[in-house]
């Protein structure tokens, strides 16, 4: 079974340009998450989709970031215009829902290999 | 204050040694607890979930102390392949997002 895939693996852009990152989750996973790691810092949550709906976007840094998941399959994360502090590794993760004794909860999150973004 | 605090290390230990990592979390409403492993320039991968009763998976033992908001990971008989960064991860109550610690870097020396 294919894992989470991300494209591109690397992107180098100039400040002020636009970049779009893509994530293809594991087939059948309704939950899709975006995370980011900037140099020297911990991995931080950006947002969470359940199918095509944004469940939690509390981690999005500002309105230069736009995430979409049309049709509830793959997702894109667009940064426009990019700033120097946007450099880092952007990870996507997906998970399926699990019905347990206390209701639905999310199962293990599987991460993609990440997109390394460098803004110069 | 960071939500999840870990000693960044690095820890350098000889092969075969036992090594322990600790982590503290600030949100008392945190619901789920994990240790993830991340190899250099790779994605994080789930190593094990951590339960209140403590749990073991082969050479790895995880413990959770909710009263002290403290999580630990013990690796016995360490192998060269255990060299990686170990990430302490929690989920806040009512949310599915993962909150990561900075990670503890471990190097096993031959």
């Amino acid at each position: 079974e294919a894992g989470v895939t991300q494209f591109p693996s690397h992107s180098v852009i100039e400040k002020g340009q636009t970049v779009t990152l893509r994530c293809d989750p594991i087939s059948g996973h309704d939950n899709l998450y975006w995370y980011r790691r900037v140099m020297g810092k911990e991995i931080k949550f950006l947002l969470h989709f359940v199918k095509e709906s944004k469940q939690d976007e509390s981690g999005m840094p500002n309105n230069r970031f736009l995430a979409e998941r049309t049709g509830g399959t793959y997702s894109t994360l667009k940064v426009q215009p990019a700033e120097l502090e946007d450099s880092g590794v952007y990870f996507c993760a997906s998970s399926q829902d699990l019905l347990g004794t206390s209701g639905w909860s999310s199962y293990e999150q599987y991460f993609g290999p990440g997109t390394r973004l460098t803004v110069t | 204050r960071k939500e999840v605090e870990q000693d960044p290390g690095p820890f350098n230990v000889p092969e075969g040694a036992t090594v322990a990592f600790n982590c503290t979390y600030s949100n008392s409403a945190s619901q789920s607890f994990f240790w993830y492993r991340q190899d250099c320039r790779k994605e994080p991968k789930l190593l094990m979930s951590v339960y209140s009763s403590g749990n073991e998976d082969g050479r790895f033992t995880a413990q959770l102390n909710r009263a002290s908001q403290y999580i630990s990971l013990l690796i016995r008989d360490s192998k060269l392949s255990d060299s990686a960064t170990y990430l302490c991860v929690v989920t806040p109550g009512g949310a599915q997002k993962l909150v990561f610690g900075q990670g503890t870097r471990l190097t096993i020396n031959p």
Side-chain angles (χ1 to χ4, degrees), chain B:
Chain B
R1 182 186 172 187
K2 291 181 180 178
E3 288 189 68
V4 179
E5 299 254 20
Q6 291 183 253
D7 179 349
F11 284 58
N12 291 284
V13 301
E15 191 175 9
T18 295
V19 60
F21 306 135
N22 303 315
C23 145
T24 58
Y25 59 95
S26 61
N27 184 351
S28 59
S30 296
Q31 285 189 335
S32 301
F33 308 88
F34 310 94
W35 283 101
Y36 273 71
R37 172 196 167 123
Q38 186 174 24
D39 293 292
C40 188
R41 293 185 170 261
K42 297 286 189 180
E43 70 272 21
K45 290 186 177 179
L46 180 65
L47 178 66
M48 59 196 302
S49 301
V50 187
Y51 304 114
S52 296
S53 55
N55 48 299
E56 188 174 311
D57 183 2
R59 298 180 294 107
F60 299 84
T61 301
Q63 296 275 355
L64 167 65
N65 184 323
R66 284 188 182 268
S68 302
Q69 295 178 204
Y70 169 97
I71 306 162
S72 66
L73 177 68
L74 182 78
I75 306 175
R76 291 182 300 279
D77 187 24
S78 53
K79 311 289 184 192
L80 296 177
S81 56
D82 294 335
S83 297
T85 295
Y86 289 83
L87 304 166
C88 179
V89 182
V90 306
T91 60
Q96 295 182 5
K97 66 181 181 183
L98 300 180
V99 179
F100 286 82
Q102 193 174 0
T104 298
R105 186 160 180 186
L106 171 68
T107 300
I108 306 298
N109 302 307

Side-chain angles (χ1 to χ4, degrees), chain A residues 63-104:
Chain A
N63 59 11
R64 295 185 294 103
F65 288 75
L66 175 64
E68 295 181 321
R69 193 182 182 196
T70 307
T73 54
Y74 70 92
S75 173
T76 58
L77 180 64
K78 182 162 71 173
V79 185
Q80 179 183 29
E83 297 290 344
L84 298 178
E85 64 264 25
D86 300 333
S87 296
V89 182
Y90 289 76
F91 290 105
C92 175
S94 73
S95 71
Q96 62 188 88
D97 279 330
L98 179 69
L99 180 59
T101 54
S102 57
W104 288 102

